Amino acid sequence: MKVFSLDAYTLKWIAVICMVANHIAIGLAPVLPLVPLLVMYAAGGLTYVVMAYFVVEGYRHTSSLKKYIGRLFVFGAIAQIFHPTVLGVTDMSGTGIFFNIMFTIILSLFILHMYDTIKVRFLFWLLFAAACFVSLFMDLYFIGILVPLLYHTIKSENLRRVLPGIVSGAIFGVLGILSAIAPAIYLATGKFAEEIHAISAQNGMTPALMLATPFFAIGCFFGAFLIRNHNGERGKPAKWLFYIAYPLHLAVIAAVVIFLGL
C-alpha cells in the first residue's frame, strides 16, 4: 500500500535537487563540515535510483531511441567540460578517462535494446560483461548499467518498484564500507597515515569523502521507497529538466571549485 502519492514531475524535481546536493558534497568536500557532507552525499543515491527508473520508462515510451540517445550525447558532451573539475575525484581507475552519467545512461539504453533484440542469451550476457568493463570509465561504474536492466526485466510491478533500489543500496553499502574502513581506522587510531595520504592524493579524494561513501546506500533505499509511491502519473511536463539541469549545475559548481582553489 502506498504511503503517499508522487507523480513523475515531483519525483524528477526531488532527484535533481538531490543530485545537486550530492555534487556539491563531492566538489566542495575539502571545505564542508562532515555531517552536512554525509547528508548531501547520501542524497545522490536517491537521484540514481529515481533516474534509473525513468531512464527505463523513457526507453519504453520514446518514439525514437536514436533521438533519445542523441539528446543525451549532446548534453553529456557539454557536461563533460565541467565534469572532471567537480567529479574527477570519483575516478577510481586513475586513468583520467572518466565520463559523466549521461554516457552511463547511453550505455544502459544500448544494453536495454540488446536485451530486447538479442535472442541468444549467452551472447547478450557476454556483451553485458563487456559493457560492465566499459562502465568502469563512467559514473557509477557497473552498477549504473545493472539497475536500469533490473527495472526493465523484473516482471512483477510491485517488486520492480523496490528491488532495484534495494540491490543498488546493498552493493553501494558494501563497496562504501570497504572504501570507508581505511580512513575510519586512521581517524580513530592515527594508523596507516601514509596509506590514507596516498589514496587521497591519487585523485583528490579526501578521507571525509571516503567515509561518506557508505551513506550513498541510504539514498538508494529511500529512492526505492519514493518509486514505490509513484502514482504512475506524469504531472507537469519535465522532458528537458534533467538535460538542462545536469550541465548547468556542474558549470556553477565547477566555477565555485575554481574560485575557491579546490
Side-chain angles (χ1 to χ4, degrees), residues 50-88:
V50 172
M51 285 302 172
Y53 173 79
F54 283 113
V55 163
V56 175
E57 294 299 296
Y59 168 77
R60 290 179 172 183
H61 296 100
T62 185
S63 59
S64 173
L65 183 59
K66 290 182 180 179
K67 290 181 180 180
Y68 187 11
I69 291 175
R71 289 192 297 269
L72 288 165
F73 181 83
V74 169
F75 284 92
I78 296 171
Q80 192 62 32
I81 299 171
F82 315 105
H83 184 258
T85 302
V86 180
L87 299 171

Side-chain angles (χ1 to χ4, degrees), residues 9 44 257:
Y9 177 80
V257 168

Side-chain angles (χ1 to χ4, degrees), residues 15-36:
V16 166
I17 293 170
C18 288
M19 173 182 69
V20 174
N22 174 262
H23 291 169
I24 291 174
I26 296 172
L28 304 183
V31 297
L32 285 177
L34 181 60
V35 173

Side-chain angles (χ1 to χ4, degrees), residues 38-55:
L38 296 179
V39 174
M40 295 168 72
Y41 191 89
L46 183 152
T47 296
Y48 161 69
V49 169
V50 172
M51 285 302 172
Y53 173 79
F54 283 113
V55 163

Side-chain angles (χ1 to χ4, degrees), residues 98-256:
F98 191 57
F99 295 97
N100 65 66
I101 195 65
M102 293 290 200
F103 294 96
T104 312
I105 294 173
I106 291 173
L107 183 58
S108 295
L109 291 172
F110 278 117
I111 290 170
L112 298 182
H113 182 66
M114 287 190 297
Y115 182 86
D116 288 341
T117 56
I118 297 176
K119 304 305 178 184
V120 181
R121 280 292 172 247
F122 174 77
L123 177 59
F124 167 77
W125 289 115
L126 190 64
L127 292 172
F128 179 76
C132 286
F133 174 78
V134 174
S135 71
L136 296 178
F137 302 94
M138 299 177 178
D139 267 348
L140 299 181
Y141 311 106
F142 73 94
I143 314 171
I145 62 174
L146 170 64
V147 174
L149 183 61
L150 292 176
Y151 275 124
H152 186 55
T153 56
I154 296 174
K155 302 302 181 183
S156 167
E157 183 62 21
N158 288 334
L159 195 60
R160 172 178 174 264
R161 292 287 187 94
V162 298
L163 186 58
I166 293 174
V167 169
S168 61
I171 296 174
F172 278 118
V174 171
L175 295 179
I177 289 172
L178 292 176
S179 173
I181 286 176
I185 293 175
Y186 168 57
L187 292 174
T189 68
K191 296 180 179 179
F192 308 120
E194 293 183 2
E195 289 83 352
I196 296 301
H197 176 74
I199 293 172
S200 301
Q202 179 181 356
N203 51 13
M205 179 74 79
T206 66
L209 195 55
M210 293 173 70
L211 279 173
T213 53
F215 288 82
F216 198 88
I218 298 174
C220 291
F221 295 140
F222 193 61
F225 173 72
L226 293 185
I227 292 296
R228 177 67 183 84
N229 288 279
H230 175 40
N231 59 21
E233 297 178 4
R234 179 181 179 184
K236 297 179 182 179
K239 178 179 180 179
W240 295 98
L241 175 61
F242 183 65
Y243 292 111
I244 296 172
Y246 188 71
L248 179 60
H249 89 283
L250 285 181
V252 173
I253 297 173
V256 174

